[in-house]
């Protein structure tokens, strides 16, 4: 959570302060994915699957300066004794806890 706060205090462009500060939005999900290298001239390592799609939708529907995570991820976080706020609703997915 410190990273989000630090980003919020970082200017997008130091020469153009009017652009404001960085506003992060993060979506985190845990689960199975398929990984592959895509492309031949400019290969990219890419992840696919429902786990990635849910995290992406959580990020895109999040408020700025927030980290959203699913219940599965929240449980993993709790196992590591980290704290978090629990609430989220993802468009086209309904309520995700």
């Amino acid at each position: 959570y410190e990273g989000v706060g630090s980003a919020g205090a970082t200017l997008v462009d130091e020469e153009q302060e009017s652009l404001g500060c960085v506003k992060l939005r993060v979506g985190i999900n845990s689960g199975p994915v398929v990984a592959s290298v895509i492309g031949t001239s400019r290969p990219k390592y890419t992840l696919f699957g429902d786990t990635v799609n849910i995290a992406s939708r959580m990020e895109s529907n999040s408020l700025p300066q927030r980290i959203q995570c699913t219940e599965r991820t929240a449980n993993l976080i709790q196992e590591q004794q980290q704290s978090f706020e629990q609430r989220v609703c993802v468009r086209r997915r309904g309520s995700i806890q």
Side-chain angles (χ1 to χ4, degrees):
Y1 211 58
E2 289 177 27
V4 173
S6 295
T10 303
L11 291 172
V12 172
D13 186 338
E14 291 181 359
E15 295 177 7
Q16 294 183 28
E17 291 184 21
S18 63
L19 295 176
C21 294
V22 175
K23 293 184 177 144
L24 292 180
R25 297 182 317 194
V26 179
I28 305 172
N29 191 12
S30 302
V33 297
V34 175
S36 181
V37 176
I38 303 297
T40 54
S41 61
R42 293 183 62 195
K44 283 196 275 186
Y45 185 77
T46 307
L47 298 175
F48 301 94
D50 202 42
T51 302
V52 176
N53 293 338
I54 289 172
S56 175
R57 288 191 182 160
M58 292 176 80
E59 176 273 328
S60 62
N61 289 293
S62 175
L63 296 172
Q65 304 298 95
R66 297 284 184 202
I67 299 172
Q68 305 287 353
C69 68
T70 59
E71 183 175 12
R72 179 183 226 170
T73 302
N75 291 335
L76 292 171
I77 292 169
Q78 279 184 321
E79 287 174 12
Q80 297 177 22
Q81 299 178 349
Q82 302 292 323
S83 63
F84 61 93
E85 220 178 279
Q86 191 173 352
R87 62 175 176 78
V88 72
C89 183
V90 177
R91 187 173 20 143
R92 291 187 238 161
R93 286 288 182 177
S95 180
I96 295 178
Q97 297 188 10

